[in-house]
Amino acid sequence: PNYYNYLSTTQYSLLEIFCGLFKLSYKGKESFFCIKTNVFYSTTGVNVNIYYKIKESKYKRNNERHTLPFKDLEFIEKRKEKLFIMKEEKFKIYNTMQSDTNFLKENNITNYSFIIGIASQINDMKNEMNWYPSLKSNEIYSFGIIDILREYDNMKKVEKFFKPITQGNDISCQPPNLYVERFNSFIRG
């Protein structure tokens, strides 16, 4: 109910939108699945060329298969410069991200990702609500926050305790209050 209430009272959100949660039973076996909207939805058929799934962690945050989605280390390596969008749009995205991640923190959610879609500029941008033109290149960007179902429960607490022993402190598993600080700081640059 908190998710529904938040989205119904928020004018703009970067959170992925769930359309339904379902259970399928067949021969005594149960499967659960959800249907979500496409974060990169486009009214004019924008084709995403590349996208990055960012958690702000460097441990194993590269894609060794070199397939989409690319991750944090590829974003840092391939995108030598920042994404340049209009100042008003940047503030709208940052403020929305701050509100969304505070909601996630208040609901004990962790390990979500910021997703960035990059496509080639199209001629008619006026009908594209969630796409932002670059000020320095022929690209457009779309942003979202995905993977928002992971609660910081006892399993995550055990993971947070043991992973630093073998992997160091730069792991993605963090309590919600630390995760939101690190996440927002990285995205703001």
Side-chain angles (χ1 to χ4, degrees):
N2 291 350
Y3 171 78
Y4 174 80
N5 291 337
Y6 176 75
L7 288 182
S8 62
T9 59
T10 302
Q11 184 176 3
Y12 180 72
S13 176
L14 295 171
L15 297 179
E16 62 188 335
I17 297 175
F18 294 93
C19 301
L21 301 170
F22 301 92
K23 176 173 90 171
L24 182 64
S25 298
Y26 181 72
K27 293 185 179 181
K29 294 183 181 181
E30 294 180 338
S31 295
F32 297 89
F33 63 96
C34 63
I35 297 176
K36 306 183 277 186
T37 59
N38 183 349
V39 174
F40 302 134
Y41 174 74
S42 163
T43 58
T44 57
V46 171
N47 291 318
V48 176
N49 302 330
I50 191 167
Y51 61 99
Y52 296 92
K53 186 177 174 184
I54 309 231
K55 286 185 179 280
E56 202 300 297
S57 171
K58 293 180 184 65
Y59 184 78
K60 289 195 174 185
R61 293 300 299 161
N62 59 347
N63 187 334
E64 293 160 0
R65 296 174 300 177
H66 305 291
T67 59
L68 295 176
F70 291 117
K71 298 182 181 177
D72 303 60
L73 294 176
E74 283 101 358
F75 183 76
I76 292 166
E77 179 184 309
K78 293 178 188 221
R79 303 294 302 191
K80 301 295 183 199
E81 61 180 47
K82 294 182 179 185
L83 305 177
F84 290 94
I85 59 175
M86 288 178 24
K87 193 178 225 178
E88 310 83 52
E89 293 172 337
K90 181 169 74 170
F91 286 127
K92 175 185 174 186
I93 293 165
Y94 287 160
N95 291 336
T96 302
M97 181 186 70
Q98 186 78 38
S99 176
D100 289 347
T101 55
N102 280 335
F103 166 77
L104 295 172
K105 177 180 77 172
E106 290 165 4
N107 286 276
N108 205 33
I109 304 296
T110 191
N111 277 46
Y112 41 89
S113 299
F114 191 70
I115 193 158
I116 303 169
I118 302 173
S120 298
Q121 181 78 273
I122 58 173
N123 292 334
D124 185 16
M125 287 292 297
K126 66 180 176 237
N127 294 325
E128 294 297 342
M129 290 178 47
N130 297 320
W131 287 91
Y132 303 92
S134 169
L135 296 176
K136 289 205 166 195
S137 70
N138 193 29
E139 296 176 328
I140 54 175
Y141 311 118
S142 184
F143 308 99
I145 299 174
I146 62 170
D147 303 334
I148 61 171
L149 295 177
R150 189 63 181 136
E151 190 174 359
Y152 192 72
D153 57 10
N154 287 335
M155 288 298 293
K156 282 292 176 187
K157 290 175 184 173
V158 168
E159 180 182 342
K160 168 68 175 135
F161 180 79
F162 284 107
K163 272 194 173 178
I165 295 169
T166 59
Q167 300 173 5
N169 287 325
D170 193 22
I171 59 171
S172 64
C173 180
Q174 299 292 332
N177 61 327
L178 296 177
Y179 194 84
V180 72
E181 280 179 36
R182 189 176 74 173
F183 182 88
N184 287 344
S185 175
F186 181 78
I187 301 302
R188 276 191 304 271

